[in-house]
Amino acid sequence: MRKLLPLFFVFFFVIGFGQERKYVTVHKTQKLMGSRFDITVVAANEEIGYINIDEAVAEIKRIEKLISSWDPDSETALINKNAGIKPVKVSLELFKLIERTKQISEITDGAFDISYSSMDGIWKFDGSMTNMPTKDEIKKSMAKVGYEQIILDSNEQTVFLKQKGMKISFGAIGKGYAADKTKELLVSKQVVAGIINASGDLTTWGTKASGEKWLIGIANPLSKDKIFSWLPIVESSVATSGNYEKFVMFDGKKYTHIIDPRTGYPSQGVNSVSIFSKSAELCDALATAVFIMGKDAGLSLINQLGGTEVILVDSDNKIHKSSGILFDNNP
């Protein structure tokens, strides 16, 4: 269920580098949370800009320390360690994040589920798989998956995983959350504009130093090097999930690395999903969920959510979009 990070049909591209005398644009790329982060800020001068970026990096590292399931000292690791044993008291920040993940699980009928990491990893997309997993193997791997078994106690501020061996992971929402929190921090420090791009989970605020809007290019899925439409991103976010590199083939059928946590089988019928909304966290989670839900259910969900849009490319490379996306979908 982990998202593939390189983008297929949405390229994040800051265009137009004209700058007014008042502001400069400062940019830095750094590996954080195991991924590439591109941080861009608009500042009065370069020195201030780089100070802002250092503050952004520190915030991302703080969040990683909180949500990493690999760090044995993190609150998340402690929750997993005590699965089936006892509830774990956590910070309000982590409690609220888990609370929101459960809400997303509910509205997506379990297509998004942070307990997916309990699966035994019987699907491998590193070239080592030679046979399809059996039905019994898949059923067994699913035994400890289920967001309903994540028990939250708001009075005690505790999290309890009901079964031993259950695990939660924030791989399908963590980078979006980090982007949102970093943006929130920089806005609080009066940084007038910027972009936080967490390997494709992207959020923006303000405008370029020239006063122009930040833009993303929508590339033709039949010719991914050609842009056929530009979309302005104003105080908004976008995230993409795709299946274009990590997959396996059995009997001529393609199985993507994005696993449906409800069935244990790879998702079918979709090549790429991009979600547009104010919150990068929500975009991140819904990109995975809609990919798993498929075209019809995914579009139906997004069209019911206020302030959220989607561009979806199906397995035939045909583009579909929600009602609020304004461009010709016949490139």
Side-chain angles (χ1 to χ4, degrees):
M1 184 174 167
R2 285 182 63 83
K3 296 194 313 157
L4 187 64
L5 299 176
L7 305 182
F8 171 58
F9 80 105
V10 176
F11 295 97
F12 299 104
F13 182 55
V14 181
I15 65 168
F17 291 94
Q19 296 174 354
E20 296 178 354
R21 190 172 296 175
K22 185 177 180 182
Y23 293 114
V24 299
T25 302
V26 181
H27 173 85
K28 186 175 183 180
T29 298
Q30 189 163 336
K31 187 171 183 179
L32 299 159
M33 299 177 71
S35 301
R36 171 177 168 149
F37 273 71
D38 292 289
I39 304 169
T40 303
V41 297
V42 175
N45 58 59
E46 281 196 1
E47 182 181 3
I48 292 173
Y50 282 116
I51 290 171
N52 295 149
I53 288 176
D54 287 343
E55 291 172 326
V57 169
E59 175 68 354
I60 294 164
K61 288 180 177 178
R62 182 192 71 80
I63 292 163
E64 181 177 22
K65 182 73 176 173
L66 180 72
I67 68 174
S68 172
S69 57
W70 302 105
D71 183 343
D73 298 322
S74 74
E75 291 185 14
T76 302
L78 193 61
I79 293 169
N80 292 342
K81 183 179 178 181
N82 285 281
I85 300 171
K86 65 178 181 179
V88 174
K89 189 172 180 63
V90 299
S91 62
L92 183 61
E93 180 178 4
L94 185 62
F95 186 89
K96 290 295 186 182
L97 175 60
I98 296 172
E99 195 172 55
R100 293 194 300 276
T101 69
K102 289 198 66 175
Q103 291 168 352
I104 296 169
S105 294
E106 288 168 3
I107 67 169
T108 61
D109 294 323
F112 176 84
D113 189 336
I114 60 170
S115 72
Y116 76 91
S117 57
S118 305
M119 287 190 280
D120 293 336
I122 55 174
W123 293 93
K124 300 185 185 301
F125 301 90
D126 56 4
S128 64
M129 277 189 80
T130 56
N131 296 293
M132 274 272 292
T134 66
K135 289 183 179 180
D136 285 344
E137 287 173 332
I138 290 171
K139 185 178 179 180
K140 185 178 178 182
S141 78
M142 292 289 297
K144 297 179 177 66
V145 177
Y147 71 91
E148 303 94 338
Q149 299 185 69
I150 304 171
I151 309 303
L152 302 179
D153 185 328
S154 55
N155 292 324
E156 297 296 326
Q157 208 170 293
T158 59
V159 182
F160 178 52
L161 308 182
K162 288 181 73 172
Q163 290 194 66
K164 280 192 175 183
M166 271 191 80
K167 290 183 289 185
I168 58 171
S169 171
F170 297 95
I173 197 171
K175 289 186 298 298
Y177 177 64
D180 279 342
K181 292 296 288 184
T182 304
K183 169 182 171 179
E184 182 183 307
L185 174 71
L186 294 180
V187 168
S188 75
K189 293 184 176 291
Q190 286 76 53
V191 179
V192 294
I195 297 179
I196 309 297
N197 184 355
S199 295
D201 299 333
L202 178 150
T203 192
T204 73
W205 72 102
T207 61
K208 290 182 284 185
S210 63
E212 299 170 277
K213 296 174 182 176
W214 305 109
L215 298 177
I216 63 164
I218 307 300
N220 188 325
L222 301 179
S223 179
K224 63 182 181 180
D225 296 327
K226 295 181 180 179
I227 301 290
F228 76 90
S229 185
W230 292 97
L231 288 178
I233 300 295
V234 181
E235 305 291 334
S236 190
S237 305
V238 60
T240 296
S241 284
N243 72 346
Y244 19 83
E245 288 184 10
K246 289 188 178 182
F247 59 88
V248 291
M249 299 287 294
F250 292 118
D251 297 324
K253 188 173 182 179
K254 181 178 179 179
Y255 294 89
T256 173
H257 76 292
I258 300 178
I259 308 296
D260 187 336
R262 303 167 299 183
T263 66
Y265 284 87
S267 301
Q268 300 287 325
V270 176
N271 281 348
S272 184
V273 170
S274 285
I275 300 288
F276 302 78
S277 191
K278 186 165 186 179
S279 161
E281 172 191 309
L282 184 63
C283 289
D284 196 358
L286 288 180
T288 300
V290 170
F291 191 103
I292 290 167
M293 294 171 76
K295 174 176 70 73
D296 293 337
L299 284 170
S300 176
L301 171 67
I302 298 303
N303 281 326
Q304 295 176 62
L305 296 177
T308 304
E309 304 295 342
V310 63
I311 299 173
L312 181 150
V313 180
D314 66 22
S315 54
D316 295 321
N317 277 333
K318 183 177 180 182
I319 292 180
H320 307 268
K321 57 188 176 65
S322 54
S323 54
I325 297 286
L326 304 177
F327 67 80
D328 183 358
N329 66 337
N330 295 301

